[in-house]
Amino acid sequence: MSLPSDSTKKIDPRVKRTRNWIRQAFMELLSEKGFHATTVQDITKRAGINRATFYAHFTDKYDLLNFAVRQAFKEELERRVLNACHYSTENLRQLMLTVCEFVENHNRHCFNADQQFNALIEEQIRTQIFDLVLHWLGGGTWPLRSVASPEQVATVVSWAIYGLAYQRNRMRPLPPAEAFVDQGLHLIAMLIGEQTKSTTTSSN
């Protein structure tokens, strides 16, 4: 069983193609000019479309930003097959690694990103982490069901995973993603009610 996604809905191929053109143009402009300096006119010119076409798909550039980030992160989850798998410590590790690398790449390629821009990205990423963790908790036997609801756990875990990725991105020099994730993995696993292999081994 996999998470519901936009890809499961029937969307006109022409609509998908146009949205991808707009998204690609937008991401290029983010790297070159930054979010606030980029206008709808810049986007339409780069994508080779008119303003009416743009507004047929997005209400404004904030709506486009949400779409672009949501799609990019969803594609990363799908590429690593995390949206279709069950919970395991290794899958949790891969999720944390995905978030760390995604946050790093977006901050590296988005020129002059500010607090508002980062907040919009954070919301899109945390929402998808929440959905994925909630999906994982819905399958099998979850040991802490009597202590907290799956929704509560998914909320805490989504904040914790994103928070660690955000902290790493601010560190100088930037630590290797895999080593950083391995340091925090057991903390996140304990929030879900599991123990990592290293924690289990050390307690024996």
Side-chain angles (χ1 to χ4, degrees):
M1 179 180 177
S2 61
L3 283 170
S5 67
D6 293 338
S7 61
T8 62
K9 302 175 183 177
K10 292 184 178 180
I11 301 177
D12 190 315
R14 292 171 298 181
V15 172
K16 293 177 65 175
R17 184 167 59 248
T18 301
R19 287 180 180 174
N20 285 334
W21 283 340
I22 296 172
R23 174 186 162 196
Q24 179 61 36
F26 179 58
M27 296 307 295
E28 291 174 2
L29 288 164
L30 283 183
S31 297
E32 297 169 13
K33 302 178 63 173
F35 179 70
H36 291 292
T38 297
T39 65
V40 171
Q41 183 176 355
D42 293 331
I43 299 167
T44 56
K45 182 178 179 180
R46 180 67 62 91
I49 60 173
N50 57 42
R51 291 173 68 88
T53 301
F54 177 90
Y55 287 115
H57 294 274
F58 305 102
T59 57
D60 52 31
K61 67 178 186 178
Y62 291 91
D63 186 30
L64 172 56
L65 175 63
N66 286 334
F67 170 79
V69 174
R70 181 171 63 251
Q71 285 298 110
F73 189 64
K74 182 172 72 70
E75 288 167 4
E76 276 301 300
L77 294 178
E78 291 175 347
R79 186 174 69 83
R80 304 189 192 210
V81 204
L82 290 170
N83 63 315
C85 67
H86 60 281
Y87 173 78
S88 70
T89 301
E90 178 55 29
N91 287 337
L92 176 62
R93 180 180 181 276
Q94 287 301 315
L95 173 60
M96 294 173 65
L97 190 60
T98 300
V99 176
C100 279
E101 292 174 348
F102 189 86
V103 170
E104 177 187 348
N105 289 334
H106 259 69
N107 278 272
R108 181 190 300 146
H109 295 116
C110 294
F111 176 75
N112 199 27
D114 63 9
Q115 186 173 357
Q116 183 182 23
F117 177 86
N118 289 329
L120 290 171
I121 291 180
E122 174 191 331
E123 181 181 0
Q124 289 300 322
I125 296 175
R126 281 197 299 101
T127 297
Q128 292 194 62
I129 299 172
F130 173 89
D131 290 340
L132 180 55
V133 173
L134 192 62
H135 170 68
W136 284 349
L137 295 177
T141 302
W142 177 53
L144 299 183
R145 198 171 293 274
S146 61
V147 178
S149 70
E151 290 79 10
Q152 288 174 319
V153 173
T155 298
V156 173
V157 169
S158 65
W159 277 98
I161 291 178
Y162 185 85
L164 286 173
Y166 179 80
Q167 178 200 21
R168 170 183 174 267
N169 197 62
R170 291 172 60 87
M171 298 171 70
R172 294 296 180 272
L174 193 69
E178 293 200 5
F180 183 83
V181 164
D182 287 341
Q183 288 179 345
L185 178 60
H186 72 284
L187 297 174
I188 307 299
M190 286 192 295
L191 290 175
I192 298 178
E194 297 287 342
Q195 292 183 321
T196 62
K197 183 179 295 184
S198 59
T199 302
T200 302
T201 302
S202 63
S203 64
N204 289 335

